[in-house]
Amino acid sequence: AKTKGMRFGNAIGLLEDQNTRKSFRDPAYRALMARECNMIVAENETKWQALQPKPGPYQWGPADEMFAWARKEGMAIRGHALIWQDPKWLPAWVNALDLKSRPVAHAEAILREHAKTVCTHLKDAISHDVVNEAVSPKDGSLIQNVFTRRMGAVEQIEFAFRQAHEHAPKAQLVYNDFMGPGLGDDAKHRAGVLKLLAELKKRGAPIHALGLQSHVSAGDMMSGPANAAVLREWRKFLDEVTGMGLDLLITEFDVNDKAFPADAAKRDAATAALARDYLDVTLSYPTCRDFLLWGMADHVNWLQVWADAKRPDGLAQRPTPYDSQLRAKPMREAIAASLRAMPMRKA
């Protein structure tokens, strides 16, 4: 990736070490990441509900520990996620705020203080996911929360970007979402994201890039005549985004193997093929300069504990480039092959 002008990174967590998904505390896993990556993002440790579960001082300990290690390893740091739009991912005390009878300035002050605190603390972050998942995949509408109901949805998102820019003027500012290339609900999701991005650009908001989470599944296959519509719609979407002058990032890559055979070798071959299929198309856009895995090894990946990803046969997911013993799988070579084949990135 580096030879082509791309940063390659991974999401790693410390909070997950309290359960079976041991991640940062595993020296072998850290060594794997240090060998393969030059960028880090915290899986949960810089989200608002982790940093400030109740009003008062921010709890920077876990994030600081991981980032101190990453800096020693020469890794760039990403911020994720300043505002996770859905109320269920905001701190309970934030959702409990009574803003209806308060001036808009009160809502703005809370958001301003949060943006200032996070961006100032992460002063060396190269980018921030300023707003995460603000578009409903059901109909493309904007998700409402305690702030939007007082400020307006687009207005609150725009305000977050302006505050991030004020306190992190050199960082790339990103809108991050999980819209995929599939048809049906994916199409509604993409349309909603395009509408939001266009409105932010119209307002002159300091937004620089779209984060493609890239949690890929079987319905995202783009090669072959049967999948021509998926390929056409995904290219159309990426063309519209880049046509707005926005960069692209792959921010949370993994492959859901729920629909693939039980046999591990067959599953690994299928996930590798799907990874190569998706990446060959998406990485063909030279403005995509960052690639982040959402976990490098199977046992630390979030799909192991997400109810919707549970396989009918009860087997554990195999969604990443390395297995639970940190052995490379065919997906690792598929990713490397896509990186080798992609065009050079501009300086």
Side-chain angles (χ1 to χ4, degrees):
K2 186 175 181 180
T3 65
K4 290 295 184 75
M6 172 176 273
R7 288 180 291 253
F8 188 90
N10 180 45
I12 193 168
L14 184 57
L15 298 177
E16 286 68 35
D17 289 345
Q18 298 171 8
N19 59 34
T20 56
R21 292 197 295 142
K22 188 174 182 182
S23 181
F24 185 74
R25 293 292 187 213
D26 181 353
Y29 186 64
R30 287 201 311 273
L32 172 64
M33 183 170 168
R35 187 179 78 234
E36 298 276 53
C37 300
N38 60 9
M39 180 168 48
I40 183 175
V41 63
E43 188 170 2
N44 290 301
E45 288 73 8
T46 55
K47 292 169 181 170
W48 200 346
Q49 69 269 40
L51 289 175
Q52 200 184 25
K54 59 183 180 180
Y58 281 60
Q59 299 180 11
W60 283 107
D64 283 350
E65 183 177 348
M66 292 196 303
F67 291 156
W69 167 79
R71 291 183 183 103
K72 290 180 181 178
E73 297 291 345
M75 295 183 192
I77 292 167
R78 292 199 75 236
H80 171 83
L82 198 62
I83 308 293
W84 197 344
Q85 200 73 355
D86 195 307
K88 70 180 178 180
W89 302 120
L90 290 170
W93 68 269
V94 171
N95 287 322
L97 290 169
D98 180 13
L99 299 178
K100 293 181 181 179
S101 61
R102 307 292 292 272
V104 171
H106 184 66
E108 291 179 345
I110 296 167
L111 290 171
R112 181 183 296 109
E113 180 61 27
H114 180 62
K116 178 181 178 181
T117 300
V118 174
C119 292
T120 302
H121 192 90
L122 301 179
K123 57 183 178 294
D124 59 343
I126 61 169
S127 60
H128 286 278
D129 292 330
V130 178
V131 176
N132 193 53
E133 300 175 5
V135 176
S136 169
K138 294 180 180 180
D139 59 10
S141 64
L142 293 179
I143 293 171
Q144 302 295 315
N145 60 34
V146 65
F147 298 109
T148 66
R149 286 189 286 271
R150 192 68 188 90
M151 301 171 64
V154 175
E155 290 81 0
Q156 179 248 305
I157 295 169
E158 178 189 2
F159 184 81
F161 273 94
R162 293 195 182 280
Q163 291 304 305
H165 182 63
E166 178 178 344
H167 299 293
K170 297 181 180 179
Q172 182 186 50
L173 304 183
V174 182
Y175 172 70
N176 192 53
D177 213 329
F178 58 87
M179 62 282 126
L183 308 179
D185 284 350
D186 271 348
K188 298 174 186 177
H189 199 170
R190 291 193 302 272
V193 169
L194 288 173
K195 183 178 179 180
L196 171 61
L197 296 178
E199 183 61 29
L200 291 172
K201 292 291 290 184
K202 179 182 177 181
R203 291 166 175 258
I207 179 173
H208 307 134
L210 172 65
L212 309 168
Q213 290 187 12
S214 303
H215 298 297
V216 185
S217 59
D220 298 328
M221 182 67 77
M222 287 178 267
S223 60
N227 301 309
V230 178
L231 173 61
R232 181 176 63 251
E233 292 303 313
W234 188 235
R235 283 205 176 278
K236 178 182 176 183
F237 174 70
L238 298 182
D239 287 343
E240 291 196 44
V241 173
T242 55
M244 295 182 198
L246 296 172
D247 287 345
L248 303 170
L249 299 83
I250 292 177
T251 55
E252 306 184 18
F253 185 82
D254 51 32
V255 180
N256 188 331
D257 72 12
K258 183 178 179 179
F260 296 145
D263 179 79
K266 292 180 180 178
R267 256 199 290 167
D268 289 350
T271 56
L274 181 52
R276 182 73 195 269
D277 181 78
Y278 175 85
L279 293 175
D280 279 353
V281 176
T282 307
L283 294 180
S284 70
Y285 288 77
T287 56
C288 184
R289 298 185 180 91
D290 287 0
F291 185 138
L292 290 109
L293 299 166
W294 207 249
M296 299 188 72
D298 293 340
H299 65 293
V300 302
N301 183 268
W302 71 293
L303 292 174
Q304 305 296 3
V305 296
W306 187 41
D308 288 350
K310 186 176 181 180
R311 290 178 54 87
D313 54 22
L315 293 173
Q317 285 260 351
R318 297 176 64 85
T320 72
Y322 287 83
D323 68 15
S324 298
Q325 287 73 49
L326 307 185
R327 297 173 298 200
K329 294 156 52 187
M331 191 193 300
R332 197 259 182 209
E333 175 52 33
I335 294 171
S338 288
L339 294 172
R340 293 188 198 102
M342 73 183 185
M344 288 290 296
R345 273 47 192 152
K346 298 177 182 177

